[in-house]
Amino acid sequence: MLLQVLYVSLDPAMRARIRGVASPGETKRLGRAIPRRLDWDEVRLAVMAHLVQQKFARHPRLADQLIGTYPHELQEGNRWGDVFFGVDLRTGRGCNHLGKILERVREDLILRAEVEHGRQDRRRDGHAQLILARTYAQKGLRE
């Protein structure tokens, strides 16, 4: 949430203020009170995609968990009415852009693992083998 809010405002003073916030809830409240970037509607999908890619690039355990969700559709279900990035669970309506972004990032992670380990046969039933291969590679072992 913090990084999203940082992208909302281009004002350096406001960004500094946001960095000092102690809790996610306070960050969200502050984010609602500041003026949005004028181009936010045009850039928000790219910003979210960038943030999600960075998250999984920095956290291999989370990346492995995301890979483990294949081949299921991912949905950002919520009860607070976010119908742009998610799906409102009360109504079943929403664009689910975050779910779609997660699926694209998952596909990129799987493809990257296949290329790194010479597995370009596009089989997805072996996502656990990809995780195991990454573990072996990190430890310098052979499969």
Side-chain angles (χ1 to χ4, degrees), residues 1 7 28 35 46-47 54 72-73 79 93 105 116 138 140:
M1 184 65 178
Y7 277 94
K28 190 172 186 177
V47 168
Q54 292 300 306
H72 303 288
E73 177 183 348
R79 297 192 187 286
R93 293 188 177 145
V105 169
E116 287 174 4
Q138 289 170 345

Side-chain angles (χ1 to χ4, degrees), residues 59-119:
H59 301 282
R61 178 172 277 156
L62 292 177
D64 290 343
Q65 289 175 342
L66 182 61
I67 290 170
T69 66
Y70 184 85
H72 303 288
E73 177 183 348
L74 301 177
Q75 184 180 86
E76 197 288 304
N78 65 76
R79 297 192 187 286
W80 51 87
D82 179 355
V83 294
F84 183 78
F85 282 114
V87 174
D88 186 327
L89 294 173
R90 295 170 296 182
T91 65
R93 293 188 177 145
C95 296
N96 194 36
H97 287 298
L98 180 54
K100 294 171 187 173
I101 289 169
L102 286 165
E103 289 175 15
R104 284 195 300 272
V105 169
R106 176 182 66 192
E107 182 70 15
D108 290 345
L109 290 167
I110 291 170
L111 289 173
R112 188 171 296 119
E114 288 175 343
V115 169
E116 287 174 4
H117 301 290
R119 293 192 180 104

Side-chain angles (χ1 to χ4, degrees), residues 20-38:
V21 173
S23 73
E26 189 178 344
T27 302
K28 190 172 186 177
R29 282 188 294 282
L30 182 58
R32 287 184 178 150
I34 63 174
R36 281 201 272 171
R37 291 173 52 163
L38 295 176

Side-chain angles (χ1 to χ4, degrees), residues 64 117 119 128-143:
D64 290 343
H117 301 290
R119 293 192 180 104
Q129 294 158 338
L130 296 174
I131 295 168
L132 182 61
R134 180 187 294 167
T135 302
Y136 277 125
Q138 289 170 345
K139 294 181 179 181
L141 303 172
R142 300 185 80 165
E143 293 183 61

